[in-house]
Amino acid sequence: MSATPIESGGPPDVRPGVGRNAWVALGVLWFIYVLNFLDRQLLSILAKPIQDALHVTDGQLGLLGGLYFAFFYCFIAIPVGWLADRTNRVWVVSIACGIWSAATIAFGLSKNFGQLAASRMTVAFGEAGGVPPSYAIITDYFPPGRRGMALGIYNLGPPVGAALGIAFGASIAAAFSWRDAFIAIGAVGVLVALITPVLLKEPKRGGLDASAAAVAGEAAPIPAKAGFWATCRMFFSNPVLVLASLGSGVTQIVTYGLGNFAVLFLMREKGMQLGDVAVWYALVVAVGMGGGIFASGWLLDKYTKRSKTAYALLPALSLSLALPLYIAFVWAPSWPLALVLMLGPNFLNYFYLSSSVALVQEEVKPNQRVMSGALLLLVMNFIGMGFGPTYVGAASDFFRATHPENSLQIALYTLIPVYLAAIGLFLWLSRVIRRELKKDAA
């Protein structure tokens, strides 16, 4: 069992309210996450003009968006999480935003694959410091029972960032060049990094957990600095946390594998143009992914009050519904039909995110939240971000020898078994949660 039970909220009269400062903090962190994902997604959005200019292969694009990025992003997140659990988390987020934004500008100035790789790894180095501290800051601004929705709103950053990146990145690239898109968006991030400490204040660690405990007549815990190895042992010895991380990681093989090559697939094999991408693909991402992430946060707060197994069953159900729509998207003979069919997977593929983040943040002690969030990202991103794009790019290069006209389509078809594996892991997680609930009740 974990040291702290999973919270599913309580009656409204024992939950602290949510003040204005909490919503301001959520808004600032959300906008930084938008920039985080916008910078990250520019590579996949502008893959074709980058290929045309620098003659990189699908496999090299997969490495830039996959293994090279994931290695730095995942493993730097651990020392950053350890540092943020002991220092000012707001300053960690601000400095991280400045690093990844400056590296985005450098990417736009790159002249060859080596420079692209170095810039991309620096982007990953910076982005590793953005999300884990933000998870913990939000958890300390929002009380138990309100965190699923808050984290759901925060996790709207990726779809909004992706949609804005598609709209503005593709538009700038079409009107000027792909380099200008990276430079312009990186400059915005540097400015935001400078003003973040002015807008965002560091909350008390575990303060709302202490308030909830006091209202319930329990002793308020006093957070102490959590040991690095103690937190690691706690995390990897807890089957709930491990299965949530593995299920999320396998799901991300699909989301990152598809996300990094969707625009290239639509342009090269379905006949889409940059102007079409800037409008129609941006809408599909914003409505589909954004709606799914928002809906998942709302559903979590609703159904985890009834049963904690909802943390696992919602992702399992959503992925089961997404699979046939994904197959139809890859098969579609034209890009307009493909985009319509893509709405389904984009909506349903991301239910895992708010679920796993909320589960991990609720399951651990307040002084272990940043580090635990970093460990969650380590597992799921190293599996999903590291393997997904790298595999799809390598598979496309492999199939190109015999199927030069639709190598990416065949590569994307091979992700079907990954869906099934992810569904199985979340169903397994639901059984573990149910078993622990029975132990608590005994």
Side-chain angles (χ1 to χ4, degrees):
M1 279 295 297
S2 60
T4 303
I6 304 167
E7 300 170 16
S8 58
D13 58 325
V14 299
R15 283 188 244 155
V18 178
R20 177 179 175 274
N21 289 342
W23 294 110
V24 170
L26 180 59
V28 171
L29 293 171
W30 173 82
F31 186 71
I32 292 173
Y33 200 12
V34 167
L35 291 175
N36 177 310
F37 215 81
L38 197 160
D39 289 358
R40 190 187 308 179
Q41 290 299 299
L42 276 180
L43 172 62
S44 61
I45 295 160
L46 302 176
K48 193 171 188 305
I50 293 171
Q51 274 192 333
D52 294 341
L54 300 181
H55 309 292
V56 295
T57 67
D58 288 357
Q60 288 175 321
L61 284 174
L63 287 170
L64 289 174
L67 188 61
Y68 291 171
F69 188 94
F71 185 83
F72 276 78
Y73 183 82
C74 295
F75 288 100
I76 294 299
I78 301 305
V80 168
W82 178 86
L83 177 68
D85 270 331
R86 287 160 172 73
T87 59
N88 188 295
R89 295 166 292 185
V90 172
W91 276 101
V92 171
V93 172
S94 176
I95 293 169
C97 181
I99 292 173
W100 85 59
S101 299
T104 299
I105 296 173
F107 191 95
L109 298 173
S110 298
K111 304 295 185 182
N112 54 53
F113 178 74
Q115 293 175 2
L116 291 175
S119 301
R120 190 68 176 168
M121 288 186 283
T122 308
V123 170
F125 180 89
E127 290 190 5
V131 178
S134 297
Y135 285 158
I137 292 170
I138 292 169
T139 304
D140 282 335
Y141 265 113
F142 287 82
R146 303 295 295 274
R147 291 168 179 164
M149 177 60 75
L151 289 167
I153 293 172
Y154 175 71
N155 284 325
L156 286 172
V160 173
L164 289 177
I166 294 161
F168 289 106
S171 298
I172 293 171
F176 301 98
S177 76
W178 65 269
R179 297 184 185 279
D180 294 324
F182 281 92
I183 293 169
I185 292 172
V188 172
V190 171
L191 177 62
V192 170
L194 293 174
I195 65 174
T196 292
V198 178
L199 300 174
L200 185 60
K201 303 304 178 185
E202 176 80 358
K204 181 181 178 182
R205 297 173 196 264
L208 294 179
D209 300 271
S211 299
V215 171
E218 301 171 0
I222 301 175
K225 293 181 179 179
F228 176 85
W229 292 113
T231 303
C232 289
R233 286 193 295 271
M234 176 279 300
F235 190 95
F236 289 109
S237 64
N238 186 325
V240 170
L241 301 182
V242 171
L243 282 171
S245 302
L246 291 176
S248 299
V250 174
T251 304
Q252 283 193 346
I253 293 176
V254 174
T255 59
Y256 276 108
L258 172 62
N260 275 261
F261 285 96
V263 173
L264 184 60
F265 172 59
L266 290 167
M267 291 182 67
R268 196 170 72 196
E269 299 187 12
K270 305 291 186 184
M272 208 171 185
Q273 300 298 315
L274 266 180
D276 300 321
V277 170
V279 178
W280 301 114
Y281 185 70
L283 285 173
V284 167
V285 170
V287 173
M289 191 191 307
I293 290 176
F294 184 81
S296 68
W298 180 80
L299 290 169
L300 276 175
D301 280 344
K302 179 177 180 179
Y303 286 105
T304 52
K305 294 175 185 176
R306 304 180 186 181
S307 173
K308 296 170 187 174
T309 57
Y311 284 110
L313 292 176
L314 279 174
L317 176 61
S318 69
L319 291 172
S320 299
L321 296 173
L323 178 55
L325 296 170
Y326 171 81
I327 296 171
F329 156 74
V330 178
W331 160 84
S334 65
W335 70 259
L337 178 58
L339 282 184
V340 171
L341 293 168
M342 194 182 187
L343 272 171
N346 265 9
F347 183 87
L348 296 163
N349 278 351
Y350 294 91
F351 274 49
Y352 80 93
L353 187 57
S354 296
S355 179
S356 294
V357 170
L359 175 59
V360 170
Q361 294 294 303
E362 296 281 8
E363 177 80 350
V364 304
K365 296 177 181 178
N367 61 342
Q368 295 176 318
R369 281 176 175 151
V370 177
M371 183 64 183
S372 297
L375 290 169
L376 171 67
L377 291 178
L378 167 65
V379 176
M380 72 180 188
N381 285 331
F382 193 71
I383 294 172
M385 185 192 300
F387 185 70
T390 305
Y391 166 74
V392 172
S396 179
D397 282 350
F398 174 79
F399 290 120
R400 181 167 293 184
T402 53
H403 298 81
E405 301 300 322
N406 65 333
S407 61
L408 264 175
Q409 182 184 48
I410 299 173
L412 292 173
Y413 272 133
T414 64
L415 293 177
I416 293 172
V418 182
Y419 264 106
L420 300 175
I423 293 166
L425 284 167
F426 280 115
L427 290 175
W428 186 4
L429 173 60
S430 73
R431 292 185 62 185
V432 171
I433 294 175
R434 189 177 295 111
R435 185 168 65 242
E436 293 199 354
L437 289 172
K438 289 180 179 178
K439 287 182 181 178
D440 290 342

